[in-house]
Amino acid sequence: MSAAAADTSVFSELAAIVGEAHLIEDVPTLLRYDIQGTQPAIRVSPGSAEEVAAVLRKAAERRLAVAIAGGFTQQQVGDPPERAEFLLDTSRLSALIHYDPGDLTFGVGAGATLASVAAQLTQHHQFLPLDVAFAERATIGGLLATNASAPLRHGYGSLRDFCIGIHFVTGDGVVGKGGGRVVKNVAGFDLMKLMIGSFGTLAVITGASFKVFPGPRQTATYVARFASLTEAAAFRDRIVRSALTPIRLEIISPRATEYIVPHGDPRDPDHYHPPAPVPAHETAWRLALTASGSDAVLARYRRELGDARELTGREEDEFWSGLRDFHANVATRHRNAMLMQLNLPPAGLAHALAGAEHAAVEQNCLCATLGRAGAGSLLVALIPLSVDPPSAMQYANAASAIRAALPHDGSAYVLQCPIEAKEHFDVWGSTPTDRSMMLAVKRAMDAGDILNRGRFLV
Ligand SMILES: Cc1cc2nc3c(=O)[nH]c(=O)nc-3n(C[C@H](O)[C@H](O)[C@H](O)COP(=O)(O)OP(=O)(O)OC[C@H]3O[C@@H](n4cnc5c(N)ncnc54)[C@H](O)[C@@H]3O)c2cc1C
């Protein structure tokens, strides 16, 4: 039993902050919130930044660890928590803060789901360019904390480009903000950018403001096929240097094809199932790009892309929805798969992908890859071929071989692999210099080490 469960006074102190109706300590219900083998003793759902601050101060005072959860879709990232007495659930922090359609700015609480944000913006034919999986569950706070990247990043930039303000509460219980409500902000130290991608280790994000975009009038997607990675990369270079300005530009490896189409035979991830062989006609590398604009714009893409296959309407939507589900499809079909997120300058793409393919062969795995060919943000899945689960050493070797194929300013972290293997290697791949800098920031914002303890750094 954890410290929090043993001490009933904690429950009444939290009830005084958030109200008893917003606390759960019922064990069967909390089983749903298992984070890589650690189950919190109390779920607490604050309704305001001030309540978040009071909860965190209470946790710091009692030296209890706090795990933060939005839609719970990405809790497998990072090391398993060392402890988690409280699960701080953000679902009550979901109110609209401001929406000015004329100014194209929008602010909302961190617990709002991406789908609910999309529904509000679509009334003015506007949108947030984030086409990630599980929009019905993924929250604004979770998207910011994980620095979610999706195919539309090619045309609209990353979250760091269109998030214009963040509200947060540090691990020490201090309410703060970075940026603001307007696109032009004079900022000192950019706390907003620090929060994006901090995986809930520095602060609880309580709300955010964004620059939003007019919805595209019409789109078409073109899929071009190549006999080799080198040819695909050369075509990518041609597109990037041309006058074409696609809003998506995605590279898809031959093996990835199996995981982006709905599969008639969902496999039981607890049992070994060999991956299906790649059909002879699916040995091609592919580049998929989405054009948006007038009939004349689309006609130009058609002319310049020659024999690329054109997808529109439902077929186009289904194609991109399949791509969004790639990670989930790999994870549900292969329990022992390792998924890595690679971030690198686009010029290093072909070398990094060839390195990943090579690492897979060395470790008796198949390699399935896709990602932003123009922005250098890639997902690499290594799928074991053996009936026996790979050893921790095999995962470690594969991860370091993949990192070794990156340019010096690239990085790669493990999004998912069996928990037992995580104890034996560094899932984040940070350098000692990165680590000491990040530790200093962590100490400045969460001196008691209470936030997402053990998931990253400490
Ligand atoms: C199948 C699948 C495919 C995906 N594909 C991609 C992809 O291609 N590219 C990509 O970038 N992402 C991808 N994602 C990640 C996706 O964007 C995340 O699932 C989503 O951003 C997490 O939102 P959530 O509310 O579920 O967060 P949770 O899963 O609840 O939390 C995720 C992390 O953020 C922290 N956190 C959550 N809310 C807050 C908050 N308010 N303040 C501080 N920390 C917080 C948590 O502690 C945790 O460390 C994928 C996810 C899944 C499940």
Side-chain angles (χ1 to χ4, degrees):
M1 188 184 280
S2 74
D7 184 347
T8 47
S9 65
V10 174
F11 189 88
S12 46
E13 285 170 17
L14 289 177
I17 299 168
V18 300
E20 205 165 311
H22 305 298
L23 285 180
I24 295 178
E25 59 171 351
D26 164 56
V27 173
T29 309
L30 288 168
L31 277 177
R32 271 192 267 140
Y33 300 103
D34 174 283
I35 304 173
Q36 302 184 47
T38 299
Q39 198 195 317
I42 296 181
R43 190 189 91 168
V44 49
S45 309
S48 66
E50 290 66 34
E51 288 186 6
V52 172
V55 168
L56 295 185
R57 282 197 295 270
K58 185 61 58 196
E61 188 186 296
R62 293 202 169 234
R63 300 187 170 277
L64 300 176
V66 180
I68 310 165
F72 226 81
T73 62
Q74 197 68 337
Q75 296 284 349
Q76 75 282 9
V77 180
D79 293 307
E82 189 186 299
R83 301 190 275 117
E85 277 83 27
F86 300 167
L87 181 77
L88 192 149
D89 154 63
T90 61
S91 59
R92 290 180 66 222
L93 303 166
S94 59
L96 178 72
I97 302 173
H98 66 94
Y99 183 20
D100 185 345
D103 243 8
L104 292 162
T105 56
F106 177 86
V108 73
T113 62
L114 184 57
S116 72
V117 168
Q120 294 176 66
L121 295 176
T122 201
Q123 292 169 23
H124 295 274
H125 196 58
Q126 295 176 349
F127 81 123
L128 258 190
L130 273 171
D131 42 355
V132 296
F134 296 120
E136 298 289 339
R137 286 167 54 203
T139 60
I140 290 298
L143 291 159
L144 289 163
T146 56
N147 193 12
S149 153
L152 285 169
R153 175 170 172 180
H154 182 80
Y156 295 90
S158 71
L159 266 165
R160 287 201 171 102
D161 298 306
F162 55 85
C163 176
I164 55 174
I166 279 190
H167 296 260
F168 58 85
V169 181
T170 65
D172 302 337
V174 177
V175 178
K177 72 181 175 101
R181 283 182 181 206
V182 291
V183 175
K184 266 184 194 281
N185 263 305
V186 180
F189 181 67
D190 203 340
L191 282 171
M192 185 178 65
K193 294 208 163 103
L194 184 67
M195 291 298 150
I196 300 176
S198 61
F199 283 91
T201 58
L202 302 177
V204 176
I205 298 167
T206 53
S209 294
F210 300 92
K211 178 165 80 171
V212 297
F213 298 84
R217 244 194 315 158
Q218 61 174 338
T219 62
T221 289
Y222 300 88
V223 184
R225 304 163 70 89
F226 305 90
S228 68
L229 170 58
T230 315
E231 283 177 41
F235 186 78
R236 186 278 315 264
D237 291 347
R238 206 189 102 199
I239 298 288
V240 171
R241 287 194 206 108
S242 75
L244 301 179
T245 52
I247 55 174
R248 299 185 180 108
L249 177 57
E250 207 74 0
I251 190 161
I252 305 158
S253 79
R255 172 58 64 178
T257 308
E258 193 195 333
Y259 301 98
I260 62 176
V261 287
H263 206 278
D265 165 31
R267 301 175 202 186
D268 176 355
D270 284 335
H271 294 93
Y272 175 74
H273 289 279
V278 176
H281 64 278
E282 275 308 354
T283 54
W285 283 82
R286 294 190 286 169
L287 277 180
L289 57 107
T290 301
S292 130
S294 63
D295 290 344
V297 170
L298 298 194
R300 177 166 185 186
Y301 275 84
R302 236 169 261 135
R303 270 197 315 276
E304 298 212 7
L305 295 176
D307 55 4
R309 192 160 119 70
E310 181 176 291
L311 310 175
T312 54
R314 194 163 154 200
E315 203 184 4
E316 185 185 20
D317 292 344
E318 282 175 0
F319 176 82
W320 289 109
S321 141
L323 237 88
R324 278 195 288 277
D325 290 343
F326 170 77
H327 178 151
N329 287 342
V330 173
T332 49
R333 284 167 54 191
H334 307 290
R335 184 170 61 110
N336 293 323
M338 177 165 82
L339 274 130
M340 291 187 80
Q341 167 78 45
L342 274 49
N343 297 311
L344 63 149
L349 181 97
H351 187 68
L353 289 183
E357 297 270 335
H358 184 72
V361 173
E362 293 276 299
Q363 302 305 326
N364 198 26
C365 292
L366 293 171
C367 184
T369 311
L370 57 74
R372 272 86 289 159
S377 168
L378 302 167
L379 273 177
V380 170
L382 294 199
I383 300 151
L385 272 168
S386 164
V387 178
D388 299 320
S391 64
M393 190 56 82
Q394 279 172 287
Y395 291 110
N397 288 345
S400 51
I402 289 172
R403 287 177 182 138
L406 297 176
H408 75 279
D409 45 356
S411 64
Y413 62 87
V414 176
L415 279 169
Q416 186 160 334
C417 81
I419 303 170
E420 313 82 65
K422 286 187 175 181
E423 284 172 26
H424 301 282
F425 74 105
D426 177 8
V427 297
W428 294 104
S430 333
T431 66
T433 325
D434 289 343
R435 288 181 74 84
S436 61
M437 211 152 53
M438 288 187 286
L439 266 174
V441 177
K442 169 84 174 163
R443 287 199 187 104
M445 305 196 79
D446 179 25
D449 283 344
I450 61 163
L451 291 180
N452 277 351
R453 196 180 172 111
R455 311 284 306 268
F456 183 51
L457 297 172
V458 285

